[in-house]
């Protein structure tokens, strides 16, 4: 019956899924692009993170987009980033300069 | 002042009863959207769309083929311009809402009269 079919696919969906924190864990040692809630973005090598997704990063470039659209970059060595304002994490991401943009 | 009618023992018992309550369940079962295209809106105004690959109890999400909708730098209104992010993790603490891409369509402004003024 239809009910049985949906149960099977539900279980399959759960088994095949990628857990978010596992994906971040796989990213340790690699480049990571972080997009904050506001207009700040960070690209760095992930050294580690905790339960709150506070992160330790190195070789960091901080990108800040101002109201007029201008982009400021700052270079930092090793940082502890407060996870409070993290919105998106892009494993292997290179940052806002090399990203592909499309106007629909 | 001591709270009226409340002995030390009563407070302890109530504490134990609270522990027996069932764990908090999610009102939205994201399992149904796995493998499907969903929109996610965030605190701070960002909007993305992507294929849901995974989630957890904190509503952290894994989205594949993710596109972020760009906003106008003056009005901060969302445009149809996008940038390609790929496989991303969305932080649950920032997620404001999640909805299926299939179930939405753009309609004419129902508040036209109010705006005309």
């Amino acid at each position: 019956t239809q009910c049985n079919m949906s149960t099977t696919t539900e279980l399959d969906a759960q088994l095949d899924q990628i857990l978010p924190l596992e994906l971040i864990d796989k990213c340790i040692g690699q480049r990571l692009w972080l997009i904050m809630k506001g207009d700040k973005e960070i690209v760095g090598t992930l050294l580690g993170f905790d339960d709150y997704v506070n992160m330790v990063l190195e070789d960091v470039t901080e990108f800040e987009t101002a109201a007029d659209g201008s982009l400021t970059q700052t270079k930092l060595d090793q940082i502890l980033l407060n996870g409070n304002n993290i919105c998106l994490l892009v494993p292997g991401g290179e940052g806002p300069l090399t990203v592909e943009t499309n106007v629909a | 002042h001591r709270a009226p009618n409340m002995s030390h023992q009563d407070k302890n018992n109530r504490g134990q009863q609270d522990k027996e309550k069932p764990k908090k369940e999610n009102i939205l079962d994201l399992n149904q959207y796995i493998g499907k295209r969903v929109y996610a809106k965030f605190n701070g105004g960002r909007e993305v769309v992507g294929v849901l690959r995974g989630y957890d109890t904190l509503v952290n999400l894994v989205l594949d083929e993710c596109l972020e909708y760009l906003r106008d730098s003056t009005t901060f209104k969302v445009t149809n311009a996008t940038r390609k992010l790929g496989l991303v993790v969305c932080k649950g603490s920032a997620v404001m809402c999640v909805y299926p891409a299939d179930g939405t369509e753009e309609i004419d402004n129902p508040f036209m009269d109010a705006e005309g003024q």
Side-chain angles (χ1 to χ4, degrees), chain A residues 67-86:
Chain A
D68 56 10
S70 67
L71 194 60
T72 323
Q73 291 183 47
T74 319
K75 285 208 185 288
L76 310 156
D77 284 327
Q78 206 178 88
I79 66 168
L80 167 64
L81 178 69
N82 192 321
N84 237 333
N85 291 302
I86 296 176

Side-chain angles (χ1 to χ4, degrees), chain A residues 5 8 22 26 29-30 33 40 46 53 58 63 95 98-99:
Chain A
M5 276 173 61
T8 315
E22 281 179 6
K26 283 184 195 170
Q30 294 170 28
W33 174 18
K40 198 183 288 256
L46 178 61
V53 197
E58 72 179 358
F63 300 89
T98 44
V99 72

Side-chain angles (χ1 to χ4, degrees), chain A residues 33 35 41 71 90 93-102, chain B residues 66-68 70 82-86:
Chain A
W33 174 18
I35 302 173
E41 304 178 22
L71 194 60
V90 190
E94 290 155 19
L97 297 179
T98 44
V99 72
E100 185 187 316
T101 315
N102 290 308
Chain B
C66 183
L67 298 173
E68 181 189 353
L70 302 172
T82 59
R83 58 176 184 172
K84 193 172 170 187
L85 301 178

Side-chain angles (χ1 to χ4, degrees), chain A:
Chain A
T1 66
Q2 244 180 354
C3 283
N4 286 340
M5 276 173 61
S6 64
T7 311
T8 315
T9 43
E10 271 170 25
L11 289 173
D12 286 341
Q14 264 188 334
L15 291 169
D16 291 334
Q17 71 164 295
I18 308 173
L19 287 178
L21 296 180
E22 281 179 6
L23 181 54
I24 303 177
D25 188 67
K26 283 184 195 170
C27 197
I28 293 182
Q30 294 170 28
R31 292 304 269 175
L32 180 64
W33 174 18
L34 298 166
I35 302 173
M36 305 290 134
K37 293 178 191 173
D39 288 316
K40 198 183 288 256
E41 304 178 22
I42 305 249
V43 177
T45 306
L46 178 61
L47 296 181
F49 67 100
D50 64 6
D51 289 339
Y52 302 99
V53 197
N54 296 318
M55 309 190 111
V56 179
L57 302 151
E58 72 179 358
D59 294 331
V60 173
T61 310
E62 173 189 348
F63 300 89
E64 185 143 17
T65 309
D68 56 10
S70 67
L71 194 60
T72 323
Q73 291 183 47
T74 319
K75 285 208 185 288
L76 310 156
D77 284 327
Q78 206 178 88
I79 66 168
L80 167 64
L81 178 69
N82 192 321
N84 237 333
N85 291 302
I86 296 176
C87 187
L88 299 160
L89 301 95
V90 190
E94 290 155 19
L97 297 179
T98 44
V99 72
E100 185 187 316
T101 315
N102 290 308
V103 182

Side-chain angles (χ1 to χ4, degrees), chain B residues 3-19:
Chain B
N5 304 325
M6 207 52 135
S7 72
H8 184 65
Q9 216 178 23
D10 285 335
K11 282 184 192 163
N12 270 344
N13 288 341
R14 206 178 63 174
Q16 281 179 348
Q17 272 182 353
D18 284 337
K19 282 174 195 168

